[in-house]
Amino acid sequence: MADTTGHPTDTEAPSGPDSTPRRSSWKHIGPGIVVAATGVGAGDLVATLIAGGNFGYTLLWAAVVGCLVKISLAEAAGRWHLATGRTLFDGWAGLGRWTGWFFVVYAVVWGFVYGAAAMSSSALPLQALFPGVMDLKAWAVACGLAGLVFVWFNRYAVFEKVMTVLVGVMFVVTVYLAVRVTPHLGQAFAGLLPVLPDGKDSVLNTLGLIGGVGGTITLAAYGYWVNAKGWTDTGWMKVMRLDNRVAYLTTGVFVVAMLFVGAELLHSANVAISSGDQGLIQLGDILADTYGRATSTFFLIGFFATSFTSLIGVWHGVSLMFADFVARTRDRAPAAEVASGARERSWPFRAYLLWLTFPPIVLLFQGQPFRLIILYGVLGAAFLPFLALTLLLLLNSSRTPAPWRNGPLSNTLLVLAGTLFLVLCVKQVLDQPWADFL
């Protein structure tokens, strides 16, 4: 018997002494909240706002499809961890050394540039909320150090609780704004029909919105958070699937709410905002002029929650992955070790935390090197095709116990995801100024 994703139910083929199926319950939800909070950053909200501002409700369907595609990737990553008792990096290593080289280069370059971007993103709303207290760079350094201290001294259980509180703030703020702008529900429902907007590059804009809904490397980190929660065998499969769906339902609410704001506040008034995090500061000013300073302040608090959850989420999740990479080089990568908390106390975990924090501070003051930014963009675009491809290879082979291999629906969604992200990757590569790079 299969569930709605085409996979076996949790009553089939339990493996191991502790694989008795757990009842799917809301009280277990946790890693999904973490991946939703981490995956939806300020950049995602701006991209959705701009889509709403440019096309109204026309691309609402694309935001929904984006959530479904990401559900398939995160579910596949979590299923690998639970079905095999091995971590995702352990699976990657079995596909060849090329996976390790890709991850190392990605983790070093991406982490270096992302650290500076995450700190700046968290600092922007604080500078707007407390003008004159510190300049942007000082706020950014403070955010980076706060994230470092928090993740260094706390284990997953505390990390999850803080992320849950911040997600609650994000949820209340985005839903409030969506209601405040009084969305046109008839047009919104019409936006669920798969129609491309008129204009140049409409297909690529649509694919970009689909691909930008909630997370890149955090989708791979989901399996590690599943293990850190204490879920290590197939008995937790049904719980994990509910948790994953909650993650992308939450993500969908954030994205749809911001698309409503873009459609009503920007599109109807023909107002444009900047791409990047600065666009949210502009939105704060527009909200202040339209609805008053209290609404703007409320929005800026939500903006900070959005940015800071992405910061500490990456600080924790990608550091877990890096620690697992180092452990795998020593032939030790069982999921149970992640569940025990040993990874969070290891020197590779803390070394990568330091890498995410201190070298990027230099970029805040000296500017980001041109060539490094190009490599960062290319590697970031290549990660999701890499993830989709490797999950297809792992979950359709004897590396995964037969009852937990991909079903037709899961394969279809992963192929769709891989194709989508490959197209976006090629576009990103072609758009880079390679002549200047060389």
Side-chain angles (χ1 to χ4, degrees):
M1 182 176 176
D3 74 352
T4 55
T5 62
H7 302 122
T9 63
D10 298 284
T11 58
E12 292 182 276
S15 59
D18 298 318
S19 59
T20 303
R22 272 73 172 181
R23 177 177 297 178
S24 183
S25 171
W26 292 94
K27 70 179 181 180
H28 294 303
I29 298 302
I33 296 297
V34 171
V35 77
T38 306
V40 179
D44 299 290
L45 297 187
V46 172
T48 308
L49 273 171
I50 291 175
N54 290 339
F55 307 116
Y57 295 103
T58 305
L59 291 179
L60 181 59
W61 67 271
V64 175
V65 171
C67 289
L68 294 176
V69 168
K70 297 293 181 67
I71 283 175
S72 68
L73 284 166
E75 188 276 341
R79 178 156 43 94
W80 165 265
H81 279 247
L82 296 182
T84 65
R86 299 161 60 197
T87 64
L88 184 56
F89 202 90
D90 197 24
W92 284 345
L95 297 176
R97 291 185 177 181
W98 66 276
T99 58
W101 284 109
F102 176 83
F103 177 79
V104 168
V105 174
Y106 177 88
V108 171
V109 175
W110 182 89
F112 186 37
V113 180
Y114 179 82
M119 287 186 249
S120 295
S121 180
S122 299
L124 275 170
L126 291 177
Q127 186 186 42
L129 284 167
F130 306 103
V133 175
M134 292 192 291
D135 66 15
L136 182 65
K137 292 174 183 177
W139 277 117
V141 172
C143 289
L145 294 177
L148 170 69
V149 171
F150 172 72
V151 175
W152 187 291
F153 289 104
N154 288 292
R155 300 281 77 82
Y156 175 80
V158 176
F159 166 72
E160 182 189 287
K161 287 182 174 63
V162 170
M163 292 288 273
T164 301
V165 171
L166 292 174
V167 165
V169 173
M170 293 167 59
F171 188 91
V172 171
V173 169
T174 53
V175 171
Y176 168 77
L177 288 178
V179 173
R180 192 76 171 83
V181 300
T182 317
H184 192 292
L185 295 182
Q187 293 180 11
F189 282 117
L192 294 174
L193 296 175
V195 175
L196 291 176
D198 296 328
K200 183 181 178 182
D201 295 331
S202 62
V203 173
L204 290 174
N205 286 330
T206 302
L207 292 178
L209 180 61
I210 294 172
V213 179
T216 51
I217 194 172
T218 54
L219 294 167
Y222 178 64
Y224 289 86
W225 285 322
V226 163
N227 289 156
K229 180 74 169 176
W231 307 346
T232 57
D233 56 60
T234 57
W236 291 102
M237 197 71 75
K238 190 173 183 180
V239 175
M240 181 275 293
R241 285 171 173 161
L242 173 64
D243 179 76
N244 179 47
R245 289 162 189 160
V246 169
Y248 282 93
L249 176 62
T250 305
T251 299
V253 169
F254 294 151
V255 172
V256 169
M258 294 309 288
L259 192 137
F260 281 9
V261 173
E264 294 295 340
L265 200 59
L266 305 180
H267 183 71
S268 60
N270 197 26
V271 174
I273 61 172
S274 303
S275 60
D277 299 342
Q278 196 65 40
L280 293 184
I281 296 297
Q282 290 178 271
L283 178 63
D285 294 337
I286 294 170
L287 288 169
D289 293 339
T290 307
Y291 300 112
R293 181 55 58 185
T295 297
S296 175
T297 300
F298 191 47
F299 165 72
L300 289 172
I301 293 171
F303 177 7
F304 173 73
T306 300
S307 298
F308 196 65
T309 51
S310 293
L311 187 152
I312 61 176
V314 167
W315 263 230
H316 187 276
V318 184
S319 296
L320 266 182
M321 293 183 68
F322 184 79
D324 189 55
F325 161 72
V326 174
R328 182 60 184 78
T329 62
R330 302 175 181 181
D331 297 322
R332 298 197 322 272
E337 193 165 331
V338 179
S340 72
R343 291 279 192 273
E344 297 167 274
R345 296 187 294 271
S346 66
W347 70 262
F349 179 90
R350 290 177 170 173
Y352 194 74
L353 265 180
L354 296 173
W355 175 254
L356 283 169
T357 306
F358 289 105
I361 288 176
V362 176
L363 296 185
L364 293 173
F365 289 91
Q366 294 187 352
Q368 299 181 354
F370 175 72
R371 288 182 175 85
L372 197 62
I373 296 302
I374 291 178
L375 292 175
Y376 166 80
V378 171
L379 287 169
F383 186 82
L384 284 179
F386 165 80
L387 178 60
L389 171 63
T390 53
L391 287 172
L392 280 166
L393 293 173
L394 291 173
L395 293 168
N396 285 290
S397 71
S398 59
R399 298 178 181 89
T400 303
W404 303 109
R405 292 176 195 163
N406 276 0
L409 180 57
S410 185
N411 275 327
T412 300
L413 289 172
L414 287 179
V415 169
L416 175 64
T419 304
L420 164 68
F421 295 121
L422 184 60
V423 170
L424 293 174
C425 177
V426 171
K427 180 182 183 298
Q428 180 82 355
V429 171
L430 294 177
D431 286 348
Q432 298 298 331
W434 292 107
D436 297 333
F437 181 87
L438 299 172

